[in-house]
Amino acid sequence: MSRSPQALLERRYARLGLLLIAPTIVVFCAVIVYPLLAAIYLSLFQLYTPTLEGSFVGISNYRDLLARGEFWISLRNTLVWTAGTLSLQIVLGIGMALMLHQAVWFRSLARSLILFPYFVSTVVAVLVWRWLFNDLYGILNHMLIGSGAVDMPVDYLGSMPNAMISMILVGAWKYFPFVVIAVLARLQTIPDTLYEAARIDGAGPVARFFDVTLPQLRDVLVVIILLRAIWDFKEFDLIFLLTGGGPVISTQTLPLLVYKEAFALNQMGMAAAYAVVMMAIMLVFMVVYIRRTREKDAS
Amino acid sequence: MHNDHDIGGTHSRRTLLKALIAAAAAGSLPLRARAQRTELRWWTPQGAPAQLDAYRYQIAAFEALHPGVSVVLEPLSDEGYAPQLAAAFSSGQVPDVVTHLPSFSVQSYYAKGLVEPFDDVIEAIGPDDFYPGANDVFRAADGRHVACGIGNSAVNILWLRTDIMQRVGLERAPETWDEFRSALQKLQGRGIYGTALPYGRNTATSLVFIGFIHGAGGQVFTPDLEVAIDSEATRNALEFYREIRDFSPIGATNYSWGEGLTAFVSGATATGLYTGRVLTNINEQNPRLSDHITCALWPRLSRDIPPWTFNDFPSVCIPAQSRHKDLARRLAAFLFEPEGYIRQLHAAPGHVLPVLQSISEDPRYLDNAIIRKYRKETDLMAEAAASGFNLGYESSAHRSNEKAGEVIASGAIADMVQRVVLNRENVDRVLADTTRAIAAVMAR
């Protein structure tokens, strides 16, 4: 039975399609699927980190971690940190972007300088902040005592809730420029006619912001919140260097717990279990968030 | 006729290809030459600039004796060496020589087959030259040595400002906790804190507090390594550590080694707890205090309890996965050659103390401005360190504790201190939790 030229051509196109998509699939498997499966696989073992030798324990790592108070405290800390720093980043970022969108003097210079905290290395940024917070030589305490606001230095990093508040503030300072860049780019594309129409309708600056600017920013804010929430949720270096998770475990987030299990306690299997749970939590949040946003858009 | 081999009209494709091959060959020459050299990697968490200079001197001398060998020095951080080594061991990309790891870390690695036995290097250095018993801490359960000491370190030394002592009428260093408390009350004032102890969630707090437990006559483990931290001695130590909290700066809740050292060196506190590095730092960073400092053994609950000096026993060891073990052994032994070893010790006089008797008496070692000026202090530290202990070796009666590093890294002891001292939680409950946490680490 002879095949029609049409069918042959279609089959060739299908093969070509597979061939063209193959590199993407290979790269996707190598950088996403393999590490993910490897993490899940490792989480089923009790492994000594330096040798990666150990024994299969099934889901007992998951049972253990869910029974540990430390996990729930760290999860709560992670959520407080993420929600706190993300909210501040968004508020500061939108505020600063609106300011830089105006015709102010040295606007180009200001737009460049605003990126400085985002570009500076986290280690350097944390060292600078630790010095600012220092009880003996820090400028913040010096100014507070000098102004008579306090009699004794404030313990910014060693007591609660100061440590969490300081951490959230430093995180917001470090990462809000990302919001500024994205929001500023979107602000420049909002047609002036929308504002003119709003003005004609008698809308003041606040009403124009809520009725014109904010709806126009919604799409970009969805992306920003999604990305920054993921990044903040798994933030490690800033928190580790600033408070080390202390006092006690009051600022210990899940990534710090993963690090502690993997490298302080040399329990790679348990660390992998924490990492898998972290990923699952993030996934749940992201799915809920995206669905809600879509529902809002549809309505 | 147009020559289709012409490129740009002047060179043929073949000419260009030849040129490319020649360039590639020329470019690869250094790489090939480098490939013929044997590269040894040396890791150390002791990386102060002066120390790095001393190591580089030793490397140059070793390379001169071993043509074709190059040694790459890779400093680690004091708090970060464990993760870096864990990653190195699990990936197989290990250094050939590691120096200045605490004895308990090396014991832990040896127990997992990650470091080589070290007896032949000790033989090459000369076992009789070490202080008697200096390498006992490195003896494994199989009777072999897992490493040897490259220096001694007296960590919990009490540093004192003699000018302030004189001003407040304090004639001698406190020996007991009561004397220490009373001294702090007198010393604190005029903008100067009494001391700067660590209360942070870090290894410094854990290690310092272990000294307090021993200062109260207690121990973390029994000699056969049962958890023994839930004791009257620990309760006393916690109570005293809480009582003297107000004599440290408010930020001590987040202090580690560095902050405590800086506080004393800068003159913000009248006493401090650190190794002999204080001497170099004071002389370099705050010389106006250089004639007003002295040191003593850390006070304990009563004079009946012998002083317990924390010595992390900085070591030299060779990872089992090293691809150049013979050369690594030669390098490890070479580090004790007097010329280079003395330079290494002089890079941090009083901080890293000699383990070889011949070096301690060597006029070249003694000929150092800091050692000459503070001979009484360095002798005291040398003596204290020689009879010192750590969590891996709590007393001469204790078995070697291979899990000591993990117990400290778990933060269980620092958490205990923070919960009792900062959060004022119920001591009994905290001690029960700490016992469980340490037992869990030991059971893994």
Side-chain angles (χ1 to χ4, degrees):
Chain A
M1 199 177 84
S2 65
R3 289 170 181 167
S4 71
Q6 181 75 22
L8 269 174
L9 198 62
E10 275 177 12
R11 205 165 296 137
R12 269 190 197 167
Y13 275 140
R15 271 205 296 269
L16 182 66
L18 279 177
L19 202 69
L20 291 175
I21 206 169
T24 313
I25 291 172
V26 169
V27 171
F28 179 75
C29 288
V31 302
I32 310 264
V33 179
Y34 172 72
L36 182 65
L37 293 179
I40 295 170
Y41 178 72
L42 285 177
S43 72
L44 304 175
F45 288 81
Q46 188 181 38
L47 293 172
Y48 180 68
T49 307
T51 56
L52 290 182
E53 285 171 359
S55 53
F56 181 77
V57 292
I59 58 161
S60 102
N61 282 335
Y62 291 95
R63 262 204 309 265
D64 282 359
L65 77 85
L66 292 174
R68 283 186 192 177
E70 192 174 7
F71 167 73
W72 296 106
I73 293 170
S74 302
L75 175 60
R76 186 199 64 198
N77 293 341
T78 312
L79 295 176
V80 170
W81 146 259
T82 306
T85 195
L86 182 59
S87 312
L88 263 180
Q89 285 168 38
I90 298 294
V91 172
L92 280 175
I94 293 176
M96 191 57 74
L98 287 171
M99 218 172 81
L100 292 175
H101 188 52
Q102 305 301 313
V104 289
W105 282 6
F106 303 113
R107 187 167 70 171
S108 302
L109 182 68
R111 282 180 180 178
S112 310
L113 287 178
I114 207 73
L115 301 177
F116 171 75
Y118 195 63
F119 290 150
V120 76
S121 135
T122 306
V123 177
V124 175
V126 170
L127 281 178
V128 168
W129 276 101
R130 281 183 70 103
W131 273 108
L132 291 175
F133 286 142
N134 189 284
D135 56 330
L136 297 175
Y137 322 103
I139 187 77
L140 293 177
N141 274 317
H142 183 74
M143 280 162 51
L144 284 175
I145 293 172
S147 67
V150 293
D151 297 329
M152 293 293 285
V154 177
D155 185 9
Y156 289 101
L157 300 173
S159 64
M160 284 297 280
N162 297 9
M164 181 60 88
I165 294 169
S166 305
M167 210 168 86
I168 286 172
L169 288 174
V170 175
W173 169 84
K174 178 88 180 75
Y175 297 118
F176 89 96
F178 177 80
V179 183
V180 176
I181 303 168
V183 171
L184 194 56
R186 181 69 186 94
L187 283 175
Q188 286 166 358
T189 63
I190 300 176
D192 283 340
T193 48
L194 293 177
Y195 291 105
E196 281 165 23
R199 264 193 215 101
I200 291 166
D201 288 345
V206 177
R208 285 204 299 276
F209 173 74
F210 282 105
D211 294 334
V212 179
T213 310
L214 212 50
Q216 290 291 319
L217 290 178
R218 179 174 289 161
D219 287 345
V220 78
L221 284 179
V222 168
V223 177
I224 292 169
I225 290 171
L226 198 71
L227 289 176
R228 283 262 30 112
I230 294 170
W231 294 337
D232 291 335
F233 193 85
K234 59 189 184 63
E235 178 69 35
F236 173 78
D237 45 3
L238 187 139
I239 302 169
F240 184 74
L241 294 167
L242 203 58
T243 66
V248 196
I249 53 168
S250 310
T251 59
Q252 179 179 275
T253 54
L254 288 174
L256 267 71
L257 193 53
V258 173
Y259 177 84
K260 180 176 148 182
E261 285 290 339
F263 297 114
L265 301 174
N266 287 322
Q267 296 297 312
M268 187 53 94
M270 183 56 101
Y274 277 115
V276 170
V277 170
M278 262 182 75
M279 191 195 61
I281 295 167
M282 269 197 284
L283 209 62
V284 169
F285 276 106
M286 293 310 133
V287 169
V288 170
Y289 178 73
I290 290 170
R291 275 196 180 167
R292 287 218 166 163
T293 317
R294 273 190 194 157
E295 280 164 15
K296 240 182 200 172
D297 286 349
S299 66
Chain B
M1 192 180 88
H2 175 72
N3 185 346
D4 63 357
H5 289 275
D6 273 350
I7 295 172
T10 50
H11 302 290
S12 72
R13 199 176 288 167
R14 185 170 296 168
T15 316
L16 196 69
L17 197 63
K18 277 182 184 169
L20 274 173
I21 291 168
S28 70
L29 267 178
L31 282 176
R32 281 160 55 198
R34 213 179 302 147
Q36 285 162 1
R37 292 181 72 83
T38 305
E39 191 177 274
L40 291 179
R41 294 169 70 200
W42 172 8
W43 283 17
T44 175
Q46 284 285 318
Q51 286 175 297
L52 293 178
D53 286 345
Y55 306 151
R56 286 191 194 106
Y57 173 85
Q58 289 183 298
I59 287 170
F62 183 78
E63 287 175 344
L65 281 175
H66 298 84
V69 176
S70 60
V71 180
V72 179
L73 180 66
E74 295 170 15
L76 312 171
S77 83
D78 217 9
E79 293 266 356
Y81 71 82
Q84 282 172 281
L85 275 168
F89 285 132
S90 57
S91 65
Q93 301 294 312
V94 296
D96 299 286
V97 172
V98 187
T99 62
H100 301 97
L101 290 190
S103 60
F104 48 78
S105 295
V106 190
Q107 286 279 12
S108 165
Y109 295 135
Y110 184 80
K112 299 283 182 187
L114 294 170
V115 296
E116 281 286 289
F118 206 75
D119 301 86
D120 43 2
V121 181
I122 294 174
E123 276 301 320
I125 298 165
D128 296 337
D129 198 6
F130 284 91
Y131 279 103
N135 287 325
D136 286 356
V137 69
F138 298 106
R139 199 182 288 278
D142 62 6
R144 308 183 78 170
H145 288 94
V146 303
C148 79
I150 194 167
N152 271 328
S153 208
V155 181
N156 56 341
I157 288 294
L158 173 65
W159 289 95
L160 298 138
R161 283 273 301 274
T162 50
D163 53 337
I164 305 178
M165 284 172 71
Q166 206 174 2
R167 194 184 72 214
V168 301
L170 207 63
E171 286 172 1
R172 59 179 179 78
E175 286 181 40
T176 66
W177 286 355
D178 285 339
E179 288 175 6
F180 187 45
R181 190 191 300 106
S182 145
L184 292 177
Q185 281 161 355
K186 289 180 186 165
L187 293 167
Q188 180 152 302
R190 297 195 189 183
I192 293 178
Y193 286 92
T195 190
L197 290 171
Y199 290 84
R201 188 175 186 246
N202 48 46
T203 56
T205 302
S206 299
L207 296 172
V208 165
F209 192 73
I210 290 167
F212 275 79
I213 295 174
H214 281 272
Q219 53 193 354
V220 180
F221 294 96
T222 61
D224 53 355
L225 303 187
E226 293 295 321
V227 184
I229 199 166
D230 191 348
S231 66
E232 205 47 43
T234 309
R235 283 178 174 76
N236 288 334
L238 283 166
E239 193 184 330
F240 181 64
Y241 212 64
R242 184 162 60 187
E243 274 176 27
I244 57 171
R245 166 66 188 93
D246 289 343
F247 296 108
S248 290
I250 199 147
T253 44
N254 203 30
Y255 275 17
S256 183
W257 298 114
E259 290 85 355
L261 172 66
T262 307
F264 181 72
V265 169
S266 66
T269 66
T271 72
L273 180 152
Y274 207 76
T275 65
R277 194 183 282 284
V278 167
L279 297 174
T280 320
N281 285 22
I282 287 262
N283 278 273
E284 285 176 2
Q285 296 164 15
N286 197 0
R288 72 184 174 86
L289 297 185
S290 63
D291 293 328
H292 307 296
I293 53 166
T294 188
C295 71
L297 298 180
W298 195 261
R300 61 265 189 212
L301 180 61
S302 78
R303 285 190 177 77
D304 300 335
I305 298 167
W308 192 87
T309 300
F310 171 65
N311 181 353
D312 56 3
F313 295 100
S315 63
V316 194
C317 68
I318 296 170
Q321 292 161 289
S322 162
R323 276 166 290 182
H324 310 290
K325 283 177 196 153
D326 284 341
L327 271 172
R329 286 190 184 98
R330 269 187 255 169
L331 174 62
F334 186 78
L335 297 179
F336 292 85
E337 285 294 315
E339 185 77 24
Y341 187 49
I342 288 170
R343 274 177 187 256
Q344 207 186 98
L345 297 168
H346 281 175
H351 176 61
V352 181
L353 300 153
V355 288
L356 301 180
Q357 297 175 81
S358 59
I359 298 293
S360 302
E361 294 151 10
D362 194 315
R364 287 171 294 177
Y365 169 67
L366 299 172
D367 186 22
N368 172 273
I370 298 269
I371 294 170
R372 272 199 311 271
K373 183 171 181 177
Y374 301 102
R375 188 65 195 270
K376 184 170 72 89
E377 285 79 11
T378 48
D379 282 351
L380 175 90
M381 287 187 284
E383 196 183 325
S387 56
F389 298 102
N390 60 40
L391 190 61
Y393 180 62
E394 277 192 271
S395 78
S396 44
H398 276 71
R399 268 171 46 203
S400 175
N401 188 348
E402 292 151 9
K403 296 273 187 176
E406 284 160 37
V407 170
I408 290 165
S410 74
I413 296 172
D415 282 354
M416 173 183 75
V417 172
Q418 290 208 317
R419 288 176 65 185
V420 173
V421 177
L422 308 183
N423 293 1
R424 300 191 172 262
E425 290 184 41
N426 179 279
V427 178
D428 293 333
R429 197 174 57 234
V430 173
L431 277 175
D433 289 347
T434 308
T435 302
R436 263 196 302 277
I438 295 175
V441 174
M442 295 298 286
R444 279 173 173 173

